[in-house]
Amino acid sequence: MTQIIKVQKGTKDILPQDIAVWHKMEEAALEIFTRAGYKEIRTPIFEATELFQRGVGDTTDIVNKEMYTFEKSERSLTLRPENTAGVVRSYIENGMHRLSAPVKLWYKGPMFRYERPQAGRQRQFHQVGVEMFGIEDSSADAEVILLALNYLKKLGLPNLSVELNTLGCTNCRKEFRALLIETLRPHYDKLCDDCKARFEKNPLRLLDCKVDSCKEIFALPEVQRVIQADYTCPGCSMHFEQLKSYLDNLGVNYTVNKLLVRGLDYYNRTVFEIKSENLGSQNAVCGGGRYDTLVSKLGGEPTPAIGWAMGMERLAALLPEIKDDKLDIYIVSGNKLEAIKLAERFRALNYNVDFDMAGKKFAKQLEKAAKTAHFAIILGEDEINGEYLTLKNLETAAQIQFPLENLSDFEARTYKFISTNSSEWLQSKHSMLMSGFAI
RNA sequence: GCGGGAUUCGCCAAGUGGUUAAGGCCCCGGAUUGUGGUUCCGGUAUACAUGGGUUCGAAUCCCAUAUCCCGCCCCA
């Protein structure tokens, strides 16, 4: 037998029985973001490799070891590992800086990172996210965080914790950076390879290195003194204080986590995460922050910006399973042509309708109807000859007949029957008799 | 990249060295050729992850590989 081809490591099929929760997340995104003035943008799944090297940062794990990169016609292309860089590219390329600020965009779609899969982490996963361009004031930070919480609330996940920190700006970090490099330089030889590589380019990232020998160095008193010092400049401190004030006044609960340093190079000032206790070790459901220098770094006009992304698989893991919706109507008939014609007529009236194509016997068709639909329409020889249909309520087993010629008032005239349950059946039967139908 | 656990039909699952590898669900059919969801009967499927090894004999013991799960790292 021919070898079957399996789904690739770290990727998953989203099967029909699981799709409802995805529709829910997507519909909630469209509704909540649209209501807040955000427009959806869809950018390509692959971009120039250089976009991510310059955008996400070439000292990050994402760029260094997690990208799916390939060559085509002497171009280096990469499957997007995240979508902020792509959205910023599109913002610049399409001259969106000329639109009146703020420009508010949202997106959803698959992302790709070559990592070891585990709970809450796949190689192809999905993110939904927002980006806001053009506002430096911390009201933008507050609105964006509030938007994330509103989205989670819409999904029925209101009890998640918000963690907040500020990274300062390039100016106020300059001094700290220089000081840190000088303090660590005597210990350079003892650092791990990752830290050595980041030493000049991005020394701040050394601080959350988990290698024991590095941690020992960072624990030295002279190093700790530098780390613990508050280095944020007055402008950045003010920005952070204002954000906290906005959040306090908006009734948003949060905790400040000084150790929250995100692994993407483009962040400055505000960074935040939203976490759940129910996700195991990959507990961040949402991560984001401000990236005021990214637009200019990618060749655009200097434009302040802020955004976040949520992992949709992680969201889905927190949401209850949703049962498949049943069909409205399953047509039971031995005559496929008449069944198709009738299905088409009911579909045009916005009913979800299916019928048997497998040529099953009457009893088997009805069995299938009972499993998959709320109502059966029986369209056998008697009905076709008599030009009527038999509508059967599959919960109550009650049946009525209805003329085939004109379905336009079907819903109005069968409303009582359709909405009834068995205890109301007598009443509905009475009203059916009054409106002239045979029972 | 580094640790730990797991893998028996589409799904769940018994079996821990000895004839043809239980059972349940799902699916299909019959009893009942125009009235279902209950019941009874029957059917389908190269199911012991893959490749080696030990043994008279392996789903069962050993080794390797793959995949999944749980951590580390990192991130959503």
Side-chain angles (χ1 to χ4, degrees):
Chain A
M1 183 176 142
T2 310
Q3 188 77 39
I4 62 163
I5 295 168
K6 293 198 197 146
V7 72
Q8 289 302 291
K9 182 174 180 172
T11 68
K12 275 199 173 100
D13 297 317
I14 299 171
L15 296 169
Q17 61 264 34
D18 304 320
I19 201 69
V21 70
W22 288 83
H23 289 158
K24 181 175 176 178
M25 290 189 285
E26 290 163 4
E27 284 160 16
L30 179 60
E31 181 184 332
I32 293 293
F33 302 152
T34 300
R35 199 168 282 164
Y38 286 74
K39 305 280 191 198
E40 185 177 1
I41 184 169
R42 299 189 187 186
T43 60
I45 283 180
F46 62 83
E47 298 269 4
T49 302
E50 193 189 350
L51 174 67
F52 302 115
Q53 289 169 338
R54 276 165 59 188
V56 178
D58 52 14
T59 62
T60 60
D61 284 355
I62 289 177
V63 168
N64 279 322
K65 47 188 196 188
E66 296 176 4
M67 294 209 299
Y68 280 93
T69 297
F70 56 100
E71 304 292 321
K72 200 74 185 171
S73 300
E74 297 177 21
R75 290 168 206 256
S76 179
L77 306 171
T78 294
L79 299 181
R80 61 185 187 194
E82 56 95 60
N83 207 28
T84 297
V87 170
V88 169
R89 193 223 82 237
S90 180
Y91 173 90
I92 296 167
E93 191 169 347
N94 293 291
M96 290 188 221
H97 63 280
R98 288 179 305 179
L99 302 173
S100 120
V103 174
K104 301 191 200 178
L105 303 170
W106 76 274
Y107 62 83
K108 62 173 160 53
M111 309 294 160
F112 305 85
R113 293 182 197 173
Y114 186 79
E115 294 184 271
R116 181 82 173 260
Q118 72 185 68
R121 170 183 299 158
Q122 293 170 214
R123 290 180 173 178
Q124 175 176 338
F125 62 103
H126 297 78
Q127 288 187 331
V128 56
V130 306
E131 315 289 355
M132 188 200 304
F133 296 93
I135 304 294
E136 186 177 359
D137 188 80
S138 51
S139 57
D141 308 46
E143 199 226 37
V144 149
I145 291 170
L146 200 58
L147 185 64
L149 293 172
N150 282 338
Y151 178 59
L152 294 168
K153 189 174 168 189
K154 176 74 183 179
L155 291 175
L157 302 171
N159 300 316
L160 303 173
S161 61
V162 180
E163 294 190 3
L164 204 62
N165 193 19
T166 182
L167 300 179
C169 59
T170 40
N171 284 337
C172 64
R173 263 189 296 181
K174 212 177 282 175
E175 194 184 339
F176 175 73
R177 232 187 96 144
L179 195 57
L180 189 63
I181 289 176
E182 283 321 301
T183 313
L184 290 175
R185 196 178 294 283
H187 309 286
Y188 181 84
D189 290 339
K190 284 175 279 178
L191 293 170
C192 70
D193 291 345
D194 276 351
C195 285
K196 281 176 182 162
R198 289 167 175 161
F199 188 78
E200 292 287 350
K201 276 186 166 170
N202 194 354
L204 300 187
R205 292 273 293 126
L206 305 206
L207 299 181
D208 56 15
C209 180
K210 302 298 189 294
V211 176
D212 284 341
S213 54
C214 294
K215 281 202 278 194
E216 283 172 27
I217 295 169
F218 303 140
L220 295 170
E222 68 266 30
V223 182
Q224 274 298 309
R225 219 175 301 131
V226 175
I227 294 173
Q228 292 302 330
D230 189 4
Y231 58 86
T232 45
C233 66
C236 290
S237 295
M238 175 90 76
H239 191 273
F240 194 50
E241 291 308 314
Q242 280 176 346
L243 170 58
K244 288 192 284 187
S245 168
Y246 272 116
L247 293 177
D248 290 339
N249 281 299
L250 290 164
V252 174
N253 290 317
Y254 61 87
T255 54
V256 174
N257 177 1
K258 282 287 195 187
L259 298 176
L260 181 60
V261 184
R262 299 182 49 71
L264 284 73
D265 287 354
Y266 51 63
Y267 288 120
N268 68 298
R269 288 194 167 169
T270 310
V271 291
F272 61 93
E273 287 186 356
I274 300 175
K275 294 181 176 177
S276 164
E277 289 171 6
N278 302 325
L279 279 175
S281 67
Q282 312 307 323
N283 59 359
V285 98
C286 173
R290 184 165 274 284
Y291 49 94
D292 294 330
T293 60
L294 182 58
V295 177
S296 61
K297 200 181 289 176
L298 292 174
E301 296 291 317
T303 306
I306 183 167
W308 51 254
M310 294 195 194
M312 296 178 81
E313 279 79 2
R314 291 183 189 178
L315 281 180
L318 294 173
L319 293 171
E321 282 181 33
I322 301 171
K323 279 187 302 192
D324 275 1
D325 280 344
K326 281 188 170 181
L327 289 166
D328 297 317
I329 296 166
Y330 192 90
I331 296 173
V332 172
S333 178
N335 185 325
K336 286 179 193 168
L337 177 60
E338 292 304 322
I340 293 175
K341 280 156 84 176
L342 190 62
E344 287 298 301
R345 292 173 69 189
F346 273 104
R347 287 166 181 168
L349 293 171
N350 297 330
Y351 290 97
N352 298 339
V353 183
D354 204 357
F355 63 95
D356 176 67
M357 297 192 88
K360 288 188 220 260
K361 290 177 180 168
F362 183 88
K364 292 296 172 187
Q365 288 193 32
L366 201 57
E367 187 180 333
K368 170 108 174 177
K371 280 180 188 164
T372 59
H374 295 292
F375 295 89
I377 283 177
I378 296 164
L379 187 67
E381 278 178 38
D382 294 350
E383 282 85 355
I384 293 170
N385 292 335
E387 299 191 347
Y388 65 93
L389 59 81
T390 300
L391 178 68
K392 182 182 182 78
N393 182 325
L394 290 162
E395 264 174 56
T396 63
Q399 300 188 179
I400 57 171
Q401 296 173 345
F402 194 92
L404 263 177
E405 64 194 56
N406 183 3
L407 299 179
S408 61
D409 56 351
F410 177 82
E411 182 154 337
R413 293 173 72 180
T414 58
Y415 174 77
K416 282 259 168 72
F417 178 78
I418 285 174
S419 64
T420 195
N421 58 38
S422 48
S423 67
E424 289 166 344
W425 166 238
L426 278 177
Q427 191 186 343
S428 131
K429 184 177 178 181
H430 178 71
S431 70
M432 284 298 149
L433 283 167
M434 297 301 285
S435 44
F437 296 116
I439 303 288

